[in-house]
């Protein structure tokens, strides 16, 4: 690392005294300024999102180091962009021009796992899968499982309020964050929340930070709720001759009082893309593939009941997995969906509209209409049980006209989501990508109050400026 | 009602133009000013909490009427104290001197129940039990069940972030509030949150309002998440020769990965008080009675496993209920606990300290020490699975010395809770009763940020002033 480390004498007209001030409170190797290196920290995984060039990338290992960074940033009025693994899909982690990128990936210790209290205490840079595996060893389960779970960090999950496949039964990241240690814009340390199962002492600042995309403070420690590990889930696949029939099945399943641990939908385009990428032998004659899973004591019985509901909704085939291996194969197919759609034309814009599940059919029908109108390939995979769709626009970024149509269709999809009583983002967040749309969704009064909260925490506007609103 | 209704000519030197301005936008009968009547709106159910005399009580039926009240309050700088059923236990609904009491009890319509979307849309004055019964008819379940569930309102539950017996499996009110319509201090209407299962568009203002005790705005509509109705639970009672052994059993049950739908503890004092009140034949030789319940597909099997853990922890008797009737009887005993303890000496102070469940034994031991020190009867019932204790100080309010000792012991119990890594309030809220203690729990930085949020929403400080901090 020594070659690319910053030295105090690197301060230039552009960075002013910044690097020297940062290094005064940080160990060698914690500040990077080599432009080739810092450029690699400019973006998360979102398309169509502007990003600036960072003045420095800082990689702290302790809360005290983060406090030092924020004190310097406050003193010099330099924007700070916190980052985890940069797997986000809304540009929330994109650098702004001349900013300090504050990467929390080196704060990656799991500090405690308590089976009695069912909590884990972690630093923000812990990778989601690393935590999952560590708690599994104690018979415990940390449910939130975004697609990027092998790479993404808990800090990033908290910043974006991530979801995943298991949310339909187990909820999202927000429901697992009990308490936080946060470094405020001015460098002061604040603790929120609790370690206890319940607690209502004052306003819920913990929940305010979850999903705030680093705009209110820097999370340096989190106390997370855990659950006992459920039995291994068994998956059923059902094929449908229309997306409408698959959505009808989703409604019947939820109305019937079932609690699947997973209820996912892949449309024809997605199924084909996955087969093309990984030759998985999924049924390409289907118009929609529904995957349902149960992790109950008797999952086969639940799958039989749900299979019958799928048939009543017109399923052309219902195939329960016989064992864990078959189940895992079906889940792999689902987990590959976004990568596979990316391979179709080289670039994707992944939307994240969530509608009341009763409107899921209308949403899918509308997306199909939009794809036709803009002459685009739009694959839809969806956390169907939550009504959370991922219409994924496939396009060639080198084709200016197709890129323009992709961007326009994306906006039209969000408008459709709002029209159906939904939200512009179920789990990916607002970032840069959906700023205009946040304002449309929450309206002027809501926006004013959101901004008032931002000002209360960050009066100088140095925390991840230009994101959210 | 006409005799006690206010007339515009009732404005006096004390109320100024208030009553006239209120009546300009409200129907006859919506404003009460008769002092005998308004006095009955001065208090909730907390002991030792100051209350002022309201200038008027307003009973709106619509959001527009609430908006009118807030506009008048803003114009005249009159404090507004929102109220539900006034069953709260922290003084959060107590009137302040010269305030408008804004009682939401007439806004009591259930506007929608959707089995597919698993949501209910309600006005704030809907009684918890009325909602529970209404959703049951659709095969649905609204879990939060505070002891006062037959009287308390959803608006009050949201204001105090209420818990109940079922939290150990199903969580608290906060986890069931998806979206809100809120009238702000200046009378503007703001919508927060969503109707969808997931949504991360901007800061989580919904959650900020839950537990805010009416200090940020007036909830006039709520969209609540529902669950499918679980199977009826079966209850087991286990007797222990010491509270420590019962707490050990709680730890073994939770560490063993069990998910009871209820896990409650009653100490000897509480058991005796319930028997004295209702002659229920509970075992008075016990030092602690543990109640565990399961609403799983095979509850008897779960009870057998948990019964074995109780025996391993030293239970002197383990008695699983044979049927729903026996189970209901045991639950009745638990639900009567607070009333029974109140009958011991006429008055109680109910504490609400929640500790990490691994510290439950230390908490109970400490409370016993405090009871001895202050020569008081303190009964403890607890949502043991959550570590949420209700040490209940029984005293004679006519005895000044005993009252003083009661108050002092109460403070010492909160200090103990914090010392054990807990919170001063698991589910009752801060109100007037625990204001000083909130500051101790969250510290000066946390307090400053809480106040900053309050100022952002209520710059004039007219919303339930003097509560929380």
């Amino acid at each position: 690392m020594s070659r690319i480390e910053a030295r105090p004498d690197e301060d230039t007209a552009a960075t002013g005294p910044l690097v020297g001030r940062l290094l005064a409170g940080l160990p060698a190797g914690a500040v990077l300024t080599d432009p080739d290196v810092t450029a690699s920290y400019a973006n998360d995984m979102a398309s169509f999102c502007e990003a600036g060039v960072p003045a420095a990338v800082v990689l702290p290992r302790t809360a005290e180091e983060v406090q030092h960074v924020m004190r310097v940033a406050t003193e010099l009025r330099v924007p700070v962009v916190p980052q985890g693994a940069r797997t986000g899909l809304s540009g929330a982690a994109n650098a702004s021009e001349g900013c300090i990128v504050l990467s929390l990936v080196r704060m990656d210790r799991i500090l405690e796992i308590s089976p009695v209290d069912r909590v884990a205490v972690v630093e923000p840079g812990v990778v989601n899968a690393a935590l999952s595996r560590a708690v599994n060893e104690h018979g415990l389960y940390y449910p939130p499982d975004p697609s990027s779970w092998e790479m993404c960090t808990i800090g990033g999950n908290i910043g974006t309020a991530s979801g995943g496949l298991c949310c339909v039964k187990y909820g999202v990241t927000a429901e697992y964050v009990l308490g936080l240690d946060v470094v405020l814009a001015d460098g002061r340390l604040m603790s929120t929340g609790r370690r206890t199962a319940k607690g209502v002492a004052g306003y819920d600042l913990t929940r305010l930070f979850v999903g705030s995309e680093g705009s209110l403070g820097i999370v340096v420690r989190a106390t997370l709720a855990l659950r006992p590990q459920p039995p291994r889930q068994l998956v059923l696949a059902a094929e449908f001759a229309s997306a409408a029939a698959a959505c009808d099945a989703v409604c019947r399943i939820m109305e019937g009082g079932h609690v699947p641990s997973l209820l996912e939908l892949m449309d024809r385009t997605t199924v084909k893309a996955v087969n093309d990428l990984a030759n998985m032998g999924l049924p390409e004659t289907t118009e929609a593939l529904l995957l349902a899973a149960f992790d109950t004591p008797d999952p086969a019985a639940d799958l039989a009941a749900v299979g019958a509901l799928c048939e009543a909704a017109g399923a052309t085939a219902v195939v329960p997995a016989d064992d864990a291996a078959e189940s895992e194969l079906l889940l792999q197919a689902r987990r590959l969906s976004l990568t596979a759609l990316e391979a179709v034309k080289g670039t994707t814009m992944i939307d994240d509209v969530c509608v009341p599940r009763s409107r899921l059919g209308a949403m899918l029908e509308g997306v199909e209409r939009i794809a036709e109108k803009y002459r685009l390939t739009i694959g839809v995979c969806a956390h169907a049980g939550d009504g959370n769709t991922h219409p994924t626009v496939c396009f060639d970024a080198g084709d200016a006209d197709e890129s323009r149509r992709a961007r326009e269709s994306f906006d039209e999809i969000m408008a459709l989501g709002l029209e159906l009583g939904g939200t512009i983002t179920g789990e990916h967040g607002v970032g840069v990508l959906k700023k205009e749309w946040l304002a449309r969704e929450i309206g002027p009064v809501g926006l004013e109050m959101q901004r008032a909260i931002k000002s209360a925490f960050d009066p100088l506007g140095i925390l991840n400026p230009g994101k959210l609103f």
Side-chain angles (χ1 to χ4, degrees), chain A:
Chain A
M1 291 293 275
S2 62
R3 204 180 53 80
I4 56 169
E5 274 169 25
R7 296 184 314 272
D9 60 8
E10 278 189 18
D11 283 325
T12 62
T15 59
L18 177 63
V19 174
R21 291 287 295 112
L22 286 171
L23 283 170
L26 293 167
V31 184
L32 312 178
T33 53
D34 181 321
D36 291 343
V37 176
T38 59
S40 68
Y41 287 82
N43 287 85
D44 65 17
M45 290 187 173
S47 298
F48 287 112
C49 290
E50 68 206 27
V53 176
V57 173
V58 180
L59 292 143
R61 287 196 189 274
T62 68
E64 291 71 25
E65 290 177 11
V66 174
Q67 291 185 276
H68 171 72
V69 173
M70 292 313 305
R71 279 189 215 107
V72 171
T74 290
E75 182 194 326
L76 302 179
R77 307 289 196 268
V78 178
V80 174
V81 178
Q83 288 184 348
R86 285 179 288 110
T87 51
L89 292 165
S90 72
N94 281 11
S96 41
E97 192 61 31
C99 76
I100 299 167
V101 161
L102 185 57
S103 171
L104 283 309
V105 294
R106 289 187 187 167
M107 293 181 68
D108 62 353
R109 289 178 304 162
I110 297 173
L111 302 167
E112 189 195 344
I113 296 171
S114 166
V116 173
D117 291 338
R118 289 185 186 166
V119 299
V121 182
V122 303
E123 292 183 332
V126 171
V127 169
N128 181 299
L131 177 64
S132 288
R133 293 191 185 110
V135 305
N136 284 172
E137 281 174 28
H138 294 83
L140 293 165
Y141 176 42
Y142 178 70
D145 62 342
S147 303
S148 56
W149 72 306
E150 291 279 7
M151 296 150 71
C152 64
T153 64
I154 295 298
N157 295 170
I158 291 170
T160 54
S162 306
L165 298 184
C166 68
C167 305
V168 65
K169 180 165 183 180
Y170 294 106
V172 295
T173 298
E175 290 163 66
Y176 293 89
V177 186
L178 296 176
L180 295 172
D181 282 359
V182 177
V183 175
L184 298 176
D186 59 12
R188 289 185 298 172
L189 190 67
M190 177 175 78
S191 293
T192 74
R194 58 190 208 265
R195 182 198 169 91
T196 50
K198 292 155 76 180
V200 295
Y203 302 140
D204 190 344
L205 299 190
T206 306
R207 192 69 172 243
L208 192 61
F209 274 91
V210 178
S212 66
E213 301 185 348
S215 68
L216 300 177
I218 314 291
V219 172
V220 292
R221 183 179 289 205
T223 302
L224 304 173
L226 305 173
R227 287 176 170 269
Q229 207 169 357
R232 200 141 182 179
Q233 64 185 1
L234 208 58
V235 180
L236 166 147
E239 298 173 36
F240 292 87
S242 73
C247 294
D248 180 34
V250 169
C251 291
R252 287 170 190 246
I253 292 167
M254 300 307 281
E255 194 171 14
H258 296 281
V259 185
S261 50
L262 172 146
L263 189 52
E264 296 287 317
L265 185 147
M266 295 162 70
D267 74 350
R268 181 194 43 205
T269 306
T270 308
V271 168
K272 186 174 178 317
V274 170
N275 273 347
D276 288 350
L277 182 78
N279 196 17
M280 296 193 79
L282 298 175
E284 292 204 14
T285 52
T286 187
E287 284 294 310
L289 190 68
L290 198 64
L291 302 177
F294 286 84
D295 59 3
T296 47
D298 186 3
D302 290 304
L303 289 187
V306 159
L309 290 173
C310 288
E311 278 164 1
T316 51
V318 171
V319 186
D322 284 328
D323 54 30
E326 262 184 55
S327 294
E328 196 44 44
L329 202 68
L330 287 167
L331 293 189
Q332 276 303 106
R334 171 60 188 85
R335 286 202 185 266
L336 276 177
S337 296
L338 294 182
T339 311
L341 287 167
E342 205 166 275
V344 172
K345 288 242 176 176
T347 313
T348 52
M349 283 196 84
I350 304 162
D351 214 321
D352 177 35
V353 167
C354 189
V355 294
R357 67 175 75 84
S358 57
R359 310 309 300 277
L360 191 62
M363 184 69 203
L364 265 71
E365 194 190 311
V367 170
E368 204 167 317
R369 218 167 43 232
I370 292 167
E372 273 169 36
K373 175 176 167 187
Y374 289 97
R375 293 171 289 119
L376 289 163
T377 300
I378 305 182
V380 180
C381 52
H383 308 306
D386 289 321
N388 191 178
T389 65
H390 293 311
T392 304
V393 187
C394 306
F395 66 101
D396 175 358
D399 179 335
D401 181 63
E402 194 170 66
S403 296
R404 182 191 50 76
R405 283 182 280 124
R407 176 78 234 193
E408 285 176 20
S409 72
F410 191 78
D411 284 340
E412 199 155 325
I413 290 168
M414 280 189 281
L416 172 65
L418 291 183
E419 196 187 307
L420 294 174
T423 171
I424 54 161
T425 176
E427 57 183 10
H428 292 173
V430 175
V432 175
L433 190 64
K434 298 190 172 184
K435 275 165 67 171
E436 289 165 48
W437 285 93
L438 177 68
R440 293 203 215 182
E441 176 167 337
I442 68 178
V445 182
L447 196 64
E448 184 185 319
M449 296 322 299
Q450 299 245 343
R451 286 198 167 123
I453 289 171
K454 166 73 173 170
S455 295
F457 280 89
D458 180 23
L460 301 175
I462 58 171
L463 279 167
N464 212 7
K467 312 297 162 61
L468 280 167
F469 33 69

